[in-house]
Structures are given as structure tokens and as C-alpha cells.
Amino acid sequence: MRVVTPDNAGMDEAARLLKTGGLVAVPTETVYGLAADAFNAEAVARIYATKGRPADNPLILHVADKSDLDKLTDHLPDYARTLADRFWPGPLTLVVRKKPDILPWLGGHPGNTVKTVGVRMPNHPVTLAIIKRSGSIIAAPSANKAGTPSPTQAEHITNDYKDTAQSPDLLVDGGTLEVGIESTVVDATGDKPVILRPGAITEEMIREAVGAAVIGKAANAETPPLSPGTKYRHYAPLAPMTLLSGTAEAVASFITTQIVSEVDAHIGVLASPRVLACINKNWPVMAVQSDSSYTPVVTFLPLGDPHNLPDIARNLFANLRRFDEKGVDIILAEALPAEGLGVAIMDRMTKAAEGRFIRLGVTG
Ligand code: AMP
Ligand code: MG
């Protein structure tokens, strides 16, 4: 995999590769995407093979122009056009009814039954220019190997593909990305928008734009998930992670107790400055046998300030990957209130923790 800077020559090479069936990792405002020409069935099949993506998990298309929506669907509800006008280019994917005679391979295998297609216009000048120069529409899921956190820095992609048989042909290095978590996915096939995956375009922003009730339907085991990607293990670091909610003092005290009692484990801690400041570092005194030489192995990573949720979102996946690099055995992470952008952050953190959640200091 060649790595290029996002200058004219780099963007030209990316567009040329896309035109000839190549795979290019590209920066967007959310996470890096693994792009192929959506109209080239073999190139789209290579996305699945390279990522190791399950065949029933459809790909999001990325367009460089709002009017491209009409090339993909004949059924665009008024609210969907309103949302595209309001939030494109931006981190909002609209799942619309696909024209029946186009792109049969987007669900992963020829002749599949996916009748819808997810579309967005990314807000990143480099990728918009690459799509325009390719003269097509690109299919681009997140560029990570299936199962790892989405990449928000170029080195996340070089790491994911360094020992793999198949890799992207080219990586356009766009540095660290603005949003850091994947787009909001909205089902726009019914009479009201339904949020399938939370993201930086929040429920409040959607309600405000369309003035309608937004009903989020969670996928569960009995009914087939509307957004197939939501059923897979996602965003997860290698070590088991547990979320902790409560006052800064309660969370810090729980973490301190774990550090002094899990003597053989390398513990990873992801917490805000307030919680980190409350952690008692007088380890030897607190150690199980009050051992004056006791120094636990702990990796502290800064979650960020809960008053600056965009900053937390931007760094979240890089932090999770950092714990993998450090080889921690367990991760303790501070939970956030699920409000505004916090809904999307907590969605990713809950998936990374595979549901492990401890509420501290709750009585009665
Ligand atoms: P990714 O691009 O890998 O970050 O994930 C894209 C997400 O959008 C996954 O959760 C997909 O299942 C979802 N998605 C893509 N296309 C559709 C579609 N046509 N219908 C429902 N969900 C979709
Ligand atoms: Mg993904």
C-alpha cells in the first residue's frame, strides 16, 4: 500500500486508481473510508475481501454532489431532501430505496436482496475532489479491518494492513480527522426518519430540521436488523472494557481499588481530567499487603473534558487503539451522559465494552 499526501498529484493518483478498479483509503470528516468505484462490481467485491467484512453488511455510497441522490433513488421523501439540503456535505447517511435495476452487488454478493442504499456527501475537500475527479460515485465503508475500531489517523490503516494478504492500493494521508466517529445513519424509506446509528448529527438536530417525530428502532435478535452493521462486534479494543458511571469521586475510587487489587494485570484507564485528578496514587500504602515497593502497571489515557464532547469523539478510537498497542489486560472507562453528541459517543463506547457497565454510588 502506497501512502500519498493529499496534494494534486496524490488526488490524481487516487482518482486514476478508482477509475481502474483500485481500492483507495481516503480521509473524510468522520473516519477514513476504503473507497472503490461503486459501479465496478469487482472493485466492490475487493472491499469486502480486503476488510474481511461480512457479505450481508451493505456499503455506504459517497457522492460529491447532492443531485447524485436522484441517480440512485426514485423514492426520496420530502424530509430526506430537507435533511440532505441541511446537513450535506456532512456526517449524515440517508438510507433510501434503491432504483431496482442498479448496483445489485452493494449487499456484498451478486443477486442479493438489498433494496435500499445508504448515501452521504462527505465534508472533506480532499475526498470530494477525488470523487469528482473519478467521475463516479464511490462505495466506502470505514477503512479498518472488520472488528477493529474505525481509523481516524493514517497510521491506524497502515497498522491494520501491515501483515495482511490483501490491502488497499493507496492511502491518502489526511492527518487526524475532524469528527472521529462514523456518520449518523437515518432510514429514509418510510414516512418518518428513523435513526439507525447515532452520530454527530444528533436526534435534536434532525428533529429541528424536519419538525417531525424521530423514532429510533433498536435492532434486536428476533427481528432482522435494519442496519446490518449494527449486529456485529464493533469498535472493540482487544482487552475487555468496562464502563463506569457515577460522581468523579466514586469512579476514581473504584479505579483506585481495581489498581491495587488486580496486582498482576496491566490496567488501562480512560477518564476525564477530573476523575484522573481524584485517583489516589498512594499505591504502596493501599496495596493488598501494604508493600512499600508495590508499583502497579497502569496506562492512563485522557478521555477529554466532558464539556468538550467533540474533542472526546475525535480522540476516542485512537485511544482504544492505543490500549491495544500498550497490551493492557483490562480497560476501565468513564461513562458520559447520553445527551447530544454523548449519545453517539456512548453508543460506540457501549459496543466497545460489549455492554459491561457499572453504575457506582447508586443507592435504593
Ligand atoms: P461502515 O461504513 O462500515 O462504518 O458502516 C456502515 C453502516 O451503515 C453499517 O452499520 C451498515 O449496516 C449501514 N448501512 C449501509 N447501507 C445500508 C442500507 N442500505 N440499509 C441499512 N443500513 C445500511
Ligand atoms: Mg465500519
Side-chain angles (χ1 to χ4, degrees):
M1 175 171 67
R2 266 171 44 68
V3 183
V4 293
T5 49
D7 53 15
N8 238 317
M11 291 190 288
D12 267 345
E13 185 176 351
R16 205 165 43 239
L17 269 164
L18 290 171
K19 279 187 199 166
T20 53
L23 289 197
V24 184
V26 293
T28 77
E29 80 280 33
T30 59
V31 302
Y32 278 84
L34 183 59
D37 180 352
F39 289 91
N40 183 329
E42 280 172 32
V44 170
R46 258 189 82 200
I47 294 182
Y48 282 91
T50 304
K51 269 185 67 91
R53 186 180 180 89
D56 63 349
N57 191 1
L59 305 177
I60 289 176
L61 300 189
H62 290 65
V63 298
D65 198 297
K66 280 179 204 170
S67 64
D68 281 346
L69 247 184
D70 298 304
K71 295 181 185 158
L72 300 167
T73 184
D74 292 323
H75 290 91
L76 196 65
D78 288 343
Y79 69 78
R81 203 173 293 279
T82 304
L83 290 174
D85 283 339
R86 179 70 178 269
F87 298 115
W88 284 8
L92 175 74
T93 298
L94 294 171
V95 171
V96 296
R97 269 195 256 174
K98 181 170 69 66
K99 288 187 182 175
D101 50 338
I102 61 164
L103 301 169
W105 46 79
L106 279 187
H109 36 80
N112 71 58
T113 54
V114 176
K115 294 185 171 63
T116 57
V117 62
V119 194
R120 84 176 189 103
M121 180 176 173
N123 188 14
H124 197 292
V126 170
T127 292
L128 286 174
I130 291 173
I131 301 170
K132 278 191 190 128
R133 289 180 200 196
S134 80
S136 190
I137 289 172
I138 61 170
S142 54
N144 54 297
K145 285 288 281 183
T148 69
S150 295
T152 53
Q153 296 168 14
E155 67 175 58
H156 296 162
I157 301 171
T158 43
N159 280 340
D160 272 11
Y161 296 97
K162 67 173 180 280
D163 299 319
T164 55
Q166 301 191 54
S167 59
D169 300 302
L170 189 73
L171 162 60
V172 181
D173 185 348
T176 298
L177 307 180
E178 181 61 27
V179 177
I181 56 175
E182 306 83 351
S183 60
T184 306
V185 178
V186 166
D187 177 358
T189 59
D191 57 3
K192 282 175 187 169
V194 175
I195 295 175
L196 303 180
R197 174 175 77 182
I201 304 296
T202 62
E203 178 171 338
E204 294 76 20
M205 291 160 79
I206 293 171
R207 271 185 208 280
E208 205 255 322
V210 300
V214 183
I215 315 148
K217 286 187 214 153
N220 62 42
E222 286 88 57
T223 52
L226 274 166
S227 205
T230 54
K231 77 182 179 198
Y232 298 107
R233 183 172 185 268
H234 258 151
Y235 321 111
L238 297 171
M241 170 162 146
T242 300
L243 296 178
L244 308 171
S245 86
T247 62
E249 292 75 16
V251 171
S253 138
F254 183 91
I255 292 171
T256 308
T257 306
Q258 292 295 304
I259 290 173
V260 291
S261 53
E262 297 274 347
V263 281
D264 294 322
H266 178 175
I267 300 185
V269 174
L270 183 63
S272 64
R274 256 202 82 201
V275 166
L276 291 177
C278 290
I279 291 175
N280 186 339
K281 298 213 171 132
N282 202 359
W283 321 123
V285 172
M286 288 181 295
V288 191
Q289 284 156 341
S290 194
D291 173 354
S292 62
S293 64
Y294 177 61
T295 35
V297 187
V298 192
T299 294
F300 292 102
L301 292 181
L303 175 67
D305 179 349
H307 293 109
N308 187 347
L309 293 177
D311 190 48
I312 292 180
R314 194 157 38 239
N315 296 308
L316 181 65
F317 291 148
N319 278 329
L320 297 184
R321 283 172 174 266
R322 191 108 186 94
F323 283 132
D324 286 350
E325 283 165 28
K326 294 274 185 186
V328 304
D329 300 306
I330 55 174
I331 300 169
L332 301 174
E334 177 182 347
L336 296 164
E339 288 155 21
L341 181 57
V343 174
I345 296 172
M346 281 305 290
D347 171 73
R348 305 314 190 269
M349 288 181 80
T350 305
K351 285 186 174 127
E354 298 173 285
R356 284 178 291 269
F357 196 107
I358 299 178
R359 276 181 190 77
L360 297 162
V362 185
T363 49

